[in-house]
Amino acid sequence: MKLVIATRNAHKLEEIQAIFDFTNLEVLSAFDFPEIPDVIEDGETLEENAAKKATEIAAATGCWTLADDSGLEVDALDGAPGVYSARYAGEHGSYADNNVKLLRELADKEDRSARFRTVIALSDPEGNVKLVSGECVGVIIEEGRGANGFGYDPLFVPNGYSETFAELSSEVKNRISHRANALRKAHEAWSELLC
Ligand code: ITT
């Protein structure tokens, strides 16, 4: 069976393949289908976007498709940037721009608690979709540290650690991250379908 992972984010693809042991599947990604246009992520929740990505790519490729949508939810900002995490500083903002904006918004806030959340959707080619989610709770520090990972990793220290996600090795991040937790749940829930 072929499984498409619906992302063009190479970091994410690496993390998903490191966690999920797809031994009996031929794994493809959005990179293998350059002709398929990007899915417009205009849902109001991570759940809506993950389901939309999975069902649209499954319909376009005719293959079972796994999609994830993730976001950083900051308590003092009422859950922002949340579903808007990728474009927090504007449609063409970089990861660095997003981090600068996050630090500015939190400048006068005492509560720095936050969580990364991932929703994973699995769709068959007919559009029947299932969802699971996972999270990783931590705090936003005052200045970025570390060079690993991507996105908000330099600003996020997971509970129980003193290093940021960008300072921790990818092995550690892949063990404790929101995506890892969601993928473990996906593995439990869907192992008969996918392994
Ligand atoms: P695809 O839609 O192609 O899968 P994306 O980069 O847009 O890739 P998401 O929509 O899942 O990824 O995530 C939205 C943003 O949330 C992403 O651009 C990052 O800024 C942030 N993010 C997600 N997972 C993260 C992680 O593990 N570490 C740091 N930031 C993360």
Side-chain angles (χ1 to χ4, degrees), residues 15 18-19 135-136 158 160-161 165 168-184:
E15 288 187 8
I19 291 165
E135 64 176 32
C136 181
Y161 292 79
F165 261 175
L168 290 167
S169 65
S170 57
E171 286 73 25
V172 175
K173 183 182 173 191
N174 288 343
R175 203 167 61 231
I176 66 171
S177 77
H178 46 307
R179 195 166 298 106
N181 289 329
L183 283 164
R184 269 193 291 271

Side-chain angles (χ1 to χ4, degrees), residues 100-119:
V100 166
K101 176 165 179 188
L102 179 61
L103 288 180
R104 201 170 57 232
E105 297 290 326
L106 280 178
D108 60 345
K109 310 280 192 219
E110 249 172 54
D111 178 6
R112 315 278 298 193
S113 57
R115 72 194 43 72
F116 274 116
R117 209 160 67 80
T118 291
V119 174

